[in-house]
Amino acid sequence: MKRIFLIFMLSIYCLNFSFGQELPDGQKIWRSDSKLTINDFKIKISNENNDAVYAQFMISHSIGGFDFMKRNLNNKIKNRFLGNASWIDTTKVESIEKQIDFQQMQFDLAEIQARKFRKRILKDKGQISKGFDIVEKINNEIIVEFSNVRLELMRETESGRNEEKVSKWKEKIKTELEDLDEFRFENAKKIKLNK
């Protein structure tokens, strides 16, 4: 009986792993070696009433009941760019490269929040066995924090037009990504948290 149960659990895990790795069309997972391009923005617009550029990001999780036993939950939380919900009106944008770079900065900010999410979930993983309320609570807090920091970026840099402020933000983002490096999606090694 134990053997059948073990085979059953292993089968579910393998199916979950194989199906969970594919992204829907138009989505791009954050990776340090794969930056956004003009082709990632799937919506084509030519309407004077819309903003020239809009990028949609999503931080999601697929945390399950037995995940509290894992030593690393990085691959359970994804930071994705939603190309099918994003656009660049090339007729309104002066420098497409600068705008894409500015959108990449926002994607990087979302990655910082995803890494914070991964870190907090790992820290509080023992509470997952009691229910998923803690996961949803942290997820909601992370999304609110991302919205606030994204708005702060937009205000301080004047939506990417103030190059001096953009440079400062790039440094800040780079430092934060490095500080949270062990919580990147690709890292599958055991993570020891300093209490």
Side-chain angles (χ1 to χ4, degrees):
M1 185 69 177
K2 287 181 184 178
R3 188 173 176 175
I4 292 172
F5 179 74
L6 184 61
I7 290 170
F8 176 73
M9 292 306 293
L10 188 59
S11 298
I12 289 175
Y13 177 77
C14 290
L15 281 173
N16 185 32
F17 183 76
S18 64
F19 286 117
Q21 297 303 309
E22 292 188 32
L23 288 173
D25 186 42
Q27 294 187 12
K28 184 174 191 168
I29 197 158
W30 189 95
R31 291 180 35 172
S32 61
D33 61 350
S34 179
K35 302 295 183 187
L36 293 176
T37 69
I38 188 79
N39 295 327
D40 293 322
F41 293 79
K42 302 297 183 189
I43 296 178
K44 308 297 179 215
I45 62 164
S46 57
N47 184 331
E48 291 180 17
N49 297 326
N50 288 329
D51 291 334
V53 182
Y54 179 76
Q56 182 70 39
F57 309 101
M58 181 171 71
I59 300 169
S60 62
H61 68 86
S62 59
I63 296 172
F66 291 104
D67 287 332
F68 71 93
M69 296 188 302
K70 294 185 176 178
R71 297 175 178 174
N72 176 326
L73 298 170
N74 290 354
N75 68 354
K76 293 293 186 175
I77 298 169
K78 291 181 181 167
N79 171 28
R80 293 179 275 185
F81 168 77
L82 306 179
N84 291 336
S86 304
W87 67 78
I88 291 183
D89 185 345
T90 56
T91 64
K92 291 182 183 176
V93 175
E94 204 172 295
S95 172
I96 293 172
E97 293 78 25
K98 281 186 181 179
Q99 265 308 323
I100 292 173
D101 187 51
F102 189 65
Q103 301 310 308
Q104 181 65 50
M105 287 175 65
Q106 294 172 62
F107 198 13
D108 294 346
L109 284 176
E111 177 61 16
I112 290 169
Q113 293 308 120
R115 291 180 185 192
K116 287 180 178 180
F117 190 1
R118 293 173 189 131
K119 182 177 182 178
R120 286 183 60 190
I121 286 295
L122 184 64
K123 180 178 165 259
D124 293 335
K125 72 177 181 169
Q127 294 183 40
I128 295 172
S129 64
K130 300 173 190 167
F132 293 106
D133 290 346
I134 186 68
V135 176
E136 293 310 316
K137 178 181 182 286
I138 294 171
N139 189 14
N140 291 337
E141 290 170 0
I142 290 295
I143 296 301
V144 168
E145 195 175 312
F146 172 59
S147 295
N148 287 332
V149 76
R150 190 177 184 190
L151 183 60
E152 186 182 342
L153 169 73
M154 302 293 269
R155 285 182 182 157
E156 281 189 22
T157 64
E158 300 164 33
S159 295
R161 291 184 297 276
N162 185 328
E163 291 186 28
E164 182 182 331
K165 295 282 187 180
V166 166
S167 293
K168 288 180 181 177
W169 270 88
K170 280 185 178 182
E171 255 330 289
K172 177 182 175 183
I173 290 168
K174 180 182 174 198
T175 301
E176 286 191 58
L177 285 171
E178 288 171 357
D179 289 347
L180 294 164
D181 186 60
E182 65 187 334
F183 295 98
R184 67 192 182 285
F185 181 81
E186 306 88 23
N187 181 24
K189 296 177 183 172
K190 179 181 175 180
I191 298 173
K192 262 190 158 176
L193 290 175
N194 298 330
K195 301 271 176 169

